[in-house]
Amino acid sequence: MTRIYVGPTALYSLGQVGELSLLDAFDGDIVIPEPVIDEVQVEPTATNLTEYRENGIDTGVDEDHIDQAKSLLGDADLGAAVTVLAGVLAHRDSDDRSAVAVVSEDRTVRRMAQGLGAEVTSSFGVVVRAAIEDKYLKPTQAKRIVRRIDQHGMHLTGELRERAVGEVA
C-alpha cells in the first residue's frame, strides 16, 4: 500500500482552511511523523490537526534513516523535513515496492523526495486529486478551496493560482 508522508507546510495550508480531510482522497496510508505534528503550532491548523488525527493517522518516525536524511540535506536544521525524507529513505531501502509519496510545499523536500523516487505533490495537488476522486467535491468547491488556501498564506502567483484552478476544472 502507498505511504503518503505529509510535511508541515502542507498541513498548515490545508489546516488553516479546515480541509485536512482532503488527504483521505489518496489511496494509501497517511503518515504524519510526530516532529511534523510538533511543528504545527498555529491556530486553527493545530486544532484541525488534532481532530484529523482522531482517524488513526500513522505518526511513526523511521529513526534508522534520520542521519542519512540529515546528510542528504547537508546537515541543515530543517526540523520535521528530515523525518519526512527519512520515511522516503526507509521505504526505498525496504523490500516493499509499493509507491511512496510526499505532500509538501517545501522546495528542498520536494526535490529531494522526487530524486529518491517518491511521487510529490502540494496542498493544491491534494485539492485537485480530491476533486477528481471524490464525486461529492464539485469543481466549484475545489476552486473555492484553492482560493482560500491562497488567501491564508501560500500566496500563489496569479499564473500558478489559475493553473491550480484550471486543473480542478
Side-chain angles (χ1 to χ4, degrees), residues 79-98:
V82 171
T83 60
V84 171
L85 289 178
V88 173
L89 287 165
H91 180 81
R92 181 179 159 140
D93 288 350
S94 74
D95 292 334
D96 181 8
R97 290 291 148 211
S98 61

Side-chain angles (χ1 to χ4, degrees), residues 65-88:
H65 291 83
I66 293 288
D67 289 338
Q68 186 181 3
K70 283 181 182 177
S71 175
L72 288 173
L73 290 167
D75 290 319
D77 184 19
L78 295 176
V82 171
T83 60
V84 171
L85 289 178
V88 173

Side-chain angles (χ1 to χ4, degrees), residues 105-131:
E105 265 72 53
D106 184 303
R107 288 182 184 184
T108 302
V109 171
R110 291 169 60 86
R111 279 194 303 265
M112 189 65 64
Q114 196 167 28
L116 294 170
E119 293 293 322
V120 177
T121 193
S122 66
S123 54
F124 296 104
V126 171
V127 176
V128 170
R129 182 178 186 96

